[in-house]
Amino acid sequence: MSSVQLSGAGVAAVAFNNNSLRLSQTSTLKVGSSRRMSQSLVVKAATVVTPKYTSLKPLGDRVLVKLGVAEEKTMGGILLPSSAQTKPQGGEIVAVGGGRTIGDKKVEVSIPTGSQVVYSKYAGTEVEFNNSKHLIMKEDDIIGILESDDVKDMKPLSNRVLIKVTEASDKTDGGLILTETTKEKPSIGTVVAVGPGALDEEGNRQPLSVSAGSTVLYSKYAGGEFKGADGTNYIVLKSSDVIAELS
């Protein structure tokens, strides 16, 4: 089994085992701004779909995500009660809606079923279906598609970009060694991959103004942070959070 670690206010991990995905956290994963969080729907208890219903079809530009397994133990091996187990933020797309109409154009959902994805923490409505937990959410709430067991191969969606973060300095200008908690959070990195762009009013994708390989300056507290298999730090954020291109 191989894994990809993610971190926000804390550290999380994505694990693949027998073609399944499990994403768990040891504390909160920060995704986007508080303004974005307030626009999302949080449902505390899952809606249980009774056995007499044999299918669940999302409508419009919504997708149905089968959730990954919540971590039952801490990294130290302590068993967690259900109330303390962290809600996963990754899963598998098991059904998609028929898309939406923008202007005169019909826009299909671009994420194929079977894809392993990472989604925004505060997105979606939770339902229990076929004895498994699922989320119904908008396609735009999907951060990216995990095409391998390493975050560096993540395919960002919409107007998001994947950035390899520049390493924080280990010392001050005066030569003092900094601990992990006192290192200044960097806001410079190299673009690894970009999404296809957001849809305009006519349903066409608008290419992003940044491209892979560019060195950029981005908003300090934007996006969601990830840790690759080799320990490299990455961040996924919206292109509007990229402030400048450096050369």
Side-chain angles (χ1 to χ4, degrees):
M1 181 177 72
S2 52
S3 65
V4 179
Q5 290 188 327
L6 295 76
S7 64
V11 178
V14 179
F16 295 84
N17 191 356
N18 297 329
N19 295 323
S20 65
L21 174 146
R22 185 178 77 251
L23 187 150
S24 62
Q25 288 183 293
T26 56
S27 60
T28 305
L29 171 65
K30 177 183 176 184
V31 180
S33 65
S34 59
R35 181 179 69 255
R36 184 165 180 268
M37 291 178 181
S38 65
Q39 294 174 342
S40 301
L41 175 64
V42 180
V43 176
K44 297 296 183 182
T47 300
V48 179
V49 179
T50 58
K52 68 178 182 179
Y53 299 107
T54 57
S55 66
L56 196 162
K57 174 69 174 177
L59 299 178
D61 60 341
R62 294 175 177 85
V63 297
L64 179 65
V65 181
K66 184 177 181 180
L67 302 188
V69 180
E71 194 68 35
E72 296 180 355
K73 293 182 180 181
T74 65
M75 295 181 70
I78 299 173
L79 287 172
L80 295 172
S82 296
S83 59
Q85 292 176 14
T86 306
K87 179 181 176 181
Q89 281 179 249
E92 179 185 352
I93 300 290
V94 293
V96 300
R100 54 178 165 158
T101 300
I102 302 178
D104 297 327
K105 187 173 184 178
K106 180 67 177 293
V107 180
E108 304 289 341
V109 174
S110 63
I111 310 172
T113 57
S115 299
Q116 300 289 345
V117 298
V118 177
Y119 50 82
S120 301
K121 181 177 182 182
Y122 294 94
T125 299
E126 189 173 305
V127 295
E128 189 170 320
F129 180 65
N130 286 341
N131 298 317
S132 298
K133 288 186 177 181
H134 297 73
L135 277 175
I136 300 176
M137 66 181 70
K138 294 273 192 178
E139 179 184 11
D140 285 344
D141 289 319
I142 304 295
I143 295 173
I145 298 175
L146 297 169
E147 297 189 325
S148 76
D149 58 357
D150 198 337
V151 68
K152 69 180 178 63
D153 298 319
M154 179 188 287
K155 178 184 177 182
L157 298 178
S158 188
N159 60 341
R160 294 180 176 88
V161 296
L162 173 65
I163 295 173
K164 180 180 178 181
V165 178
T166 300
E167 291 186 14
S169 176
D170 292 324
K171 294 182 180 180
T172 66
D173 291 339
L176 295 176
I177 297 177
L178 298 173
T179 64
E180 288 296 325
T181 56
T182 56
K183 288 180 182 178
E184 184 176 355
K185 182 179 178 181
S187 54
I188 295 176
T190 302
V191 176
V192 176
V194 301
L199 293 169
D200 63 16
E201 295 179 352
E202 297 180 350
N204 299 311
R205 294 284 179 185
Q206 295 299 303
L208 304 188
S209 58
V210 294
S211 57
S214 301
T215 300
V216 296
L217 176 68
Y218 54 86
S219 298
K220 194 168 187 178
Y221 297 103
E225 297 175 348
F226 300 75
K227 190 175 288 291
D230 61 356
T232 301
N233 292 315
Y234 296 85
I235 188 168
V236 176
L237 41 76
K238 290 189 173 182
S239 60
S240 57
D241 290 317
V242 176
I243 300 171
E245 187 170 344
L246 306 175
S247 60

